[in-house]
Amino acid sequence: MAELHSHPVPSYLDPAHPGPWGIYLEQVDRVTPYLGNLARWVETLKRPKRILIVDVPVELDNGTVAHFEGYRVQHNTSRGPGKGGVRFHQDVTLSEVMALSAWMSVKSAAVNLPFGGAKGGIRIDPHLYSHSELERITRRYTSEIHDIIGPSKDIPAPDVNTNGQIMAWMMDTYSMNEGRTTTGVVTGKPVSLGGSLGRIEATGRGVYVIACEAARESGIDIKGARIAIQGFGNVGGTAARLFQEAGAQVVAVYDHTGIVYDERGLNVPGLLEHVHETGGVAGAPGTQSLDPKEFWSLETDILIPAALEGQITHENAGLIRTRILVEGANGPTTPEADDIISAKGTVIVPDVVANAGGVTVSYFEWVQDFSSFFWTEQEINHRLEAMMRSAYSAMSGVARQHGVSLRTAAFIVACSRILEARQVRGLYP
Ligand code: NAD
């Protein structure tokens, strides 16, 4: 390999504390030995293509002016336009946005979507601001990043604390500045504005399809399989419903209000109704309550963390007794916990494939916006299932070929696809 003429950690991050970007760099180092001749290009993955930091000044409702720091990072666009969410959170940092943009490159490539990776964010606690203040903040941020986004450049989407309304404001602001309605500049829009049917359920449906593929490979019949799920929101709730419809037994559900358990399988529609009425699973009729230790110790066929990141650590990994762990959430398993669980023979299906259903239907939304022709929900679900199965099969094939975990295999598949594109495109000039 050629001598390295550049530093691994860019000057704009503290080399002693690179943050989430440092974790990502380690992941790339781990897969480099499996990249063959493509390793020649690996440095391209270790630096974002473009970083934009913007000031977002806004007049607040009380007449004062506030300034927020906004980011848009495009990690890689070798395979297509950047794709990735916009996060509104007080703790957003450049390192975090960089790492999230890189993980989007990996996720898009692992599922073989014709996208690169990008991510955006504003350092703000949105709960402290009114609806109209948030609208002004979103519109000013969109104007500031206008030059680098667009349907064939970089397509934002919702992430933590952003939603369809914020996407609608972004789309409107971009369209006003362009002088024409451009629905395809963002995804995750309301259906009335070119959003896709099936988008809300997409991630949970993808988790379900991937879990079925992993179960099949492990010789587990989904019918009658015992399943425990942490998180009963968009992702966990949808997956739970689909599992029950397929004849599985969802024996335990863990949310921010408590844990409910029924040895014979919970009544999922009844539980969804209870959450709708009371805000959480705690106290659902006919269920037994468990403490977190009991939940993680349950003997199950499939365990699905679908709540927050960092939930499975060295502290609870030792308790886990499941055959398959499917990461519905982003980053729910720490690397240490991953080693402990894998050593027991549990198959861990990594987030970059397991929860890629959302970005896959975002891709369908973008395609539908381009052609101004909208598909039925049935068509969307059918295509989603086909793409998820094919992503699972590519990952699992590489895992067998190299004798590595599914997580390493997903990174090998994704990084190889990105670097192959980089290689055949060549370097300009
Ligand atoms: P959501 O807000 O709809 O649901 C979150 C669930 O987690 C709720 O049931 C909540 O009660 C539970 N929860 C929150 N804090 C908890 C705690 N401390 N202990 C136990 N449970 C807790 O969110 P979602 O959209 O379902 O997303 C869940 C995860 O999936 C997140 O990690 C998210 O990043 C990831 N994800 C979501 C999508 C998507 O399209 N929604 C796509 C990819 C990844």
Side-chain angles (χ1 to χ4, degrees):
M1 197 164 133
E3 189 191 339
L4 194 60
H5 293 284
S6 41
H7 289 286
V9 177
S11 65
Y12 42 83
L13 293 186
D14 175 358
H17 305 283
W21 181 252
I23 298 175
Y24 164 73
L25 288 183
E26 271 182 49
Q27 293 172 331
V28 175
D29 285 343
R30 223 175 306 139
V31 299
T32 303
Y34 300 100
L35 297 176
N37 292 337
L38 292 171
R40 170 168 186 256
W41 296 95
V42 80
E43 281 298 309
T44 203
L45 297 173
K46 293 194 186 176
R47 53 210 75 240
K49 173 186 174 62
R50 184 178 287 128
I51 292 174
L52 182 60
I53 303 178
V54 296
D55 175 37
V56 184
V58 181
E59 186 170 345
L60 301 180
D61 293 345
N62 66 10
T64 60
V65 175
H67 289 257
F68 302 96
E69 199 167 295
Y71 306 96
R72 186 73 188 169
V73 176
Q74 294 165 349
H75 172 257
N76 190 283
T77 56
S78 294
R79 306 179 72 251
K83 185 89 195 81
V86 175
R87 176 171 290 200
F88 285 3
H89 197 277
Q90 60 276 18
D91 298 331
V92 162
T93 62
L94 176 59
S95 169
E96 179 185 70
V97 182
M98 285 167 63
L100 291 168
S101 72
W103 286 322
M104 281 307 299
S105 298
V106 172
K107 192 178 288 194
S108 298
V111 195
N112 215 1
L113 305 178
F115 288 139
K119 201 83 183 188
I122 305 183
R123 261 176 95 86
I124 183 175
D125 179 353
H127 305 105
L128 303 178
Y129 298 90
S130 70
H131 189 77
S132 63
E133 286 169 337
L134 283 177
E135 176 172 354
R136 292 197 290 282
I137 290 162
T138 302
R139 287 185 182 279
R140 182 62 189 251
Y141 167 73
T142 308
S143 271
E144 293 295 338
I145 64 166
H146 174 273
D147 288 352
I148 67 163
I149 62 170
S152 45
K153 287 183 179 174
D154 177 5
I155 308 117
D159 190 64
V160 175
N161 292 332
T162 56
N163 54 28
Q165 175 62 76
I166 291 192
M167 293 308 111
W169 290 329
M170 288 190 76
M171 174 268 175
D172 182 68
T173 306
Y174 182 87
S175 298
M176 288 294 137
N177 286 339
E178 284 286 299
R180 60 173 177 270
T181 296
T182 312
T183 52
V185 64
V186 289
T187 61
K189 299 180 294 295
V191 172
S192 58
L193 208 61
S196 181
L197 294 171
R199 172 63 186 90
I200 291 170
E201 283 199 350
T203 305
R205 184 173 291 277
V207 166
Y208 163 75
V209 172
I210 289 290
C212 291
E213 289 301 289
R216 195 178 41 75
E217 261 193 354
S218 295
I220 299 170
D221 191 351
I222 268 299
K223 212 168 172 179
R226 277 169 62 86
I227 296 175
I229 305 182
Q230 187 200 33
F232 200 59
N234 181 322
V235 179
T238 302
R241 186 173 55 73
L242 295 170
F243 280 121
Q244 189 171 54
E245 284 169 10
Q249 289 179 325
V250 179
V251 293
V253 167
Y254 180 172
D255 80 355
H256 70 289
T257 64
I259 301 168
V260 289
Y261 175 70
D262 186 338
E263 175 60 31
R264 297 156 304 164
L266 295 158
N267 166 4
V268 174
L271 194 57
L272 287 165
E273 189 58 38
H274 179 78
V275 171
H276 186 65
E277 281 164 12
T278 68
V281 299
T287 65
Q288 191 185 327
S289 113
L290 298 183
D291 66 29
K293 219 169 161 180
E294 290 172 315
F295 175 85
W296 296 116
S297 309
L298 285 173
E299 198 165 320
T300 53
D301 294 302
I302 303 174
L303 172 65
I304 301 179
L308 307 172
E309 58 194 26
Q311 290 296 296
I312 304 178
T313 67
H314 64 282
E315 284 172 16
N316 56 0
L319 302 173
I320 287 175
R321 289 186 298 160
T322 189
R323 294 172 69 185
I324 301 172
L325 190 153
V326 181
E327 294 186 333
N330 282 317
T333 318
T334 65
E336 235 178 331
D338 188 319
D339 291 343
I340 296 170
I341 297 165
S342 303
K344 302 181 200 188
T346 295
V347 174
I348 302 181
V349 188
D351 49 5
V352 287
V353 169
N355 70 26
V359 70
T360 302
V361 174
S362 275
Y363 162 57
F364 297 162
E365 177 176 339
W366 176 78
V367 170
Q368 292 170 83
D369 286 341
F370 256 118
S371 56
S372 295
F373 181 76
F374 291 86
W375 312 343
T376 65
E377 191 157 359
Q378 205 183 5
E379 284 171 297
I380 285 157
N381 291 343
H382 179 73
R383 288 183 161 125
L384 169 65
E385 285 167 27
M387 289 198 74
M388 296 303 289
R389 281 205 197 92
S390 145
Y392 185 90
S393 150
M395 168 178 72
S396 156
V398 166
R400 272 196 304 276
Q401 182 193 343
H402 292 294
V404 295
S405 69
L406 291 179
R407 194 186 306 280
T408 303
F411 267 75
I412 296 173
V413 170
C415 294
S416 302
R417 284 179 178 157
I418 297 168
L419 297 181
E420 259 167 49
R422 168 29 87 224
Q423 177 165 270
V424 288
R425 283 179 69 157
L427 267 188
Y428 174 84

